Structures are given as structure tokens and as C-alpha cells.
Amino acid sequence: MNLASTIFLAFAMSTDAFAAAVGKGASLRKPRVTEALRTGLIFGVIEAITPLVGWAIGRTAAQYVTAWDHWIAFGLLFLLGARMIREGCGSAEHADEKPNSHSFWVLAVTGFATSIDAMAVGAGLAFIDVDIFSTAATIGFATMLMVTVGVMIGRLVGATIGKRAEIVGGVVLIGVGCAILAQHLGYTS
């Protein structure tokens, strides 16, 4: 795989994390660049690790990873999205109580849910001649950049639509989960 293909793959693998980051940024009270970088780093590290795990699994049992990855991603994203929608539908008197940051675990679970497809890609890469470490690092770096930008875009969107931002973020997460599921079930090209 050449450098251009690796970069294209990295940014393609980052699009669902970007969408989730916009929702995460929208649900925070004016996230700062440091919070966006923290979120980007957490997502990026997870997105870099999962293709390595997938590659290792692919060397032994690729059919098991690809058989379930889309269901796991859908379930996690649906639950996280439903939680955000529920919180967004809460009383308006708590609208000023948006957190300044998300917990590490909320970000890690979201990052993992959006990177399960990278695990499947890693499993597929086990069957071709590719430097998995540089590919995984490129995927992680691209994800870090896109998530950092996504959180800051979410800040702008959140300031514009107020309390509904969390609902929009939840809908985006559920939509990403549905898109992953539809793609793997063959409903999209």
C-alpha cells in the first residue's frame, strides 16, 4: 500500500470519529482547545491501537472480527447516543450546567465504538503486504486531527443551538452507528 492510499484510508477511518466529536463538542460548555486536543488524543490513540489489534487477530481468526464488529459499534453508539438524547431532553433549567469536559471513560468508550471498524480494517491488512505500524500511526494521527477539529466545530454548533446540541450529538452518534451497521449488512455501497 502506497503513502497516498494510507493517508486516504486514515482519513476515511476518521470520519465517524469526527462526527462523534462534533456531538461531544456541542454538549460541552465552550470547550477550549486543550479539551479538544485531549479528546483528539484519546480518540487517536484508540484509533491507532485497534488496527494493530485487528491485524494481530487477522493473523489468526479474521472471520470472527468481521462477523461482529458492526453490531458492537452499533450497540455502543446507539447507547451513547440515546444517553445524550435523554440528557438533552432534560429540563431547560439545567441548560447552564453543561460540563467543561467529558470523563476519560466516556471519551474512551465513544472512541472505541467509532474505531471498531479500524479493527476490522486491521484484520484485512493482515493479508496484504503493509507496514501495519506506520499505517496504524497514520490512522491515529488523522483521527486526532479530525476529532480535535470536530470538537471545536461542535463548540460553534453548540453555541448556536443551545440545549438541543446534545440531542443533535446523540442523533449523530446513533446515525453513525446505523450507517456502520447498514454498510456491513450490505444496504449501502
Side-chain angles (χ1 to χ4, degrees):
M1 184 158 43
N2 63 28
L3 179 61
S5 297
T6 301
I7 292 171
F8 178 78
L9 172 68
F11 280 99
M13 298 302 307
S14 305
T15 56
D16 51 352
F18 171 79
V22 171
K24 291 296 181 192
S27 67
L28 293 175
R29 183 179 359 150
K30 296 185 180 180
R32 296 188 170 178
V33 173
T34 54
E35 178 61 20
L37 285 169
R38 174 181 168 263
T39 303
L41 186 62
I42 291 169
F43 273 67
V45 167
I46 291 170
E47 192 87 21
I49 291 171
T50 53
L52 294 172
V53 171
W55 183 82
I57 292 171
R59 303 289 280 183
T60 58
Q63 70 272 15
Y64 299 115
V65 173
T66 57
W68 293 99
D69 67 336
H70 50 284
W71 288 105
I72 295 168
F74 171 74
L76 288 171
L77 289 170
F78 184 87
L79 290 173
L80 289 167
R83 179 176 172 251
M84 286 178 73
I85 291 169
R86 187 186 77 230
E87 290 174 3
C89 290
S91 73
E93 66 190 47
H94 299 294
D96 293 334
E97 296 178 12
K98 285 177 135 180
N100 290 324
S101 66
H102 292 290
S103 75
F104 169 82
W105 293 110
V106 166
L107 294 176
V109 168
T110 307
F112 179 72
T114 61
S115 69
I116 290 178
D117 56 341
M119 190 179 302
V121 166
L125 293 176
F127 300 104
I128 62 173
D129 184 28
V130 65
D131 178 359
I132 190 62
F133 295 105
S134 65
T135 301
T138 303
I139 291 170
F141 184 72
T143 301
M144 184 186 77
L145 288 176
M146 291 194 47
V147 167
T148 301
V149 169
V151 169
M152 296 313 291
I153 289 173
R155 174 188 172 145
L156 297 174
V157 171
T160 303
I161 64 174
K163 182 70 174 156
R164 292 182 212 112
E166 199 154 12
I167 296 169
V168 171
V171 170
V172 167
L173 286 181
I174 291 172
V176 169
C178 289
I180 290 169
L181 186 61
Q183 181 181 10
H184 284 276
L185 294 178
Y187 294 118
T188 62
S189 53

